[in-house]
Each structure stands twice: as structure tokens, then as C-alpha cells.
Amino acid sequence: MPYSEQDKQGKNATPPKRVGVREFRGNLSGFLRQARLGGSFLIMSRDQVLAEVRPPPQSDRPRRRPGSLRGKIRMAPDFDALPPDVLAAMEGAEE
């Protein structure tokens, strides 16, 4: 769907800023900083859209909490012990 139709339907509060390829290349870090803050850009070449730079959509998943499963996962005491036949095969010993 072209951007003008999205704007007419009210999906975009403000249309993305149009930026030429040279301007974008010359100030890449500045445009990425603005995108991190919520800005959107259409990278243009000869009045054609080549790419869109925008912040990623907000995730509906809650942020991961490290350590939240602590104490809930148990491993068998021999978890990292190899059976003798598997160890012999890995070491190249003949049976």
C-alpha cells in the first residue's frame, strides 16, 4: 500500500521524512539516532522509494527477566557424563 493511502487511513500520525541517498549516506549515524528516537525516513532516488528506515515495532512480549527460572530447573547428577561406549567411539578406540 503506498504511503499516501496509509496516511489517508490514519495509520501514520506523521508521514516519514524523505531523504536522498547522498544525504542519508553522509549522515547515517544521525539518521539512525533519530530512528532510535522514533523517526521514520524514506530513502529516495530519483523520486522512487528505495528503502524505509524506522524504529522496530514495540514487542507485545514482556521483557526477559534473567534468573526467573532459578530453582525451577533440575539436571540429573550424571548430566555431563558420557557412557563408556560413546566416549570410546569419540576417542576412536576400537571395540
Side-chain angles (χ1 to χ4, degrees):
M1 183 181 314
Y3 294 99
S4 59
E5 289 180 29
Q6 285 181 349
D7 293 335
K8 288 178 187 176
Q9 293 177 5
K11 291 183 181 178
N12 292 337
T14 59
K17 180 181 176 185
R18 294 173 181 254
V19 178
V21 174
R22 286 184 182 166
E23 181 183 356
F24 183 72
R25 284 178 50 199
N27 192 12
L28 177 62
S29 60
F31 285 113
L32 293 179
R33 190 176 313 108
Q34 290 179 42
R36 184 184 309 146
L37 297 174
S40 296
F41 306 95
L42 296 177
I43 312 305
M44 308 290 293
S45 178
R46 297 188 177 130
D47 293 328
Q48 289 186 334
V49 177
L50 299 179
E52 180 179 7
V53 177
R54 58 186 166 87
Q58 295 295 323
S59 174
D60 291 337
R61 272 180 25 197
R63 290 188 58 94
R64 183 177 168 271
R65 289 185 9 234
S68 62
L69 294 177
R70 181 174 290 135
K72 296 180 182 178
I73 298 175
R74 304 276 183 225
M75 291 194 188
D78 63 345
F79 173 75
D80 57 353
L82 289 175
D85 57 331
V86 174
L87 183 60
M90 290 176 68
E91 292 177 344
E94 295 181 25
E95 292 183 31

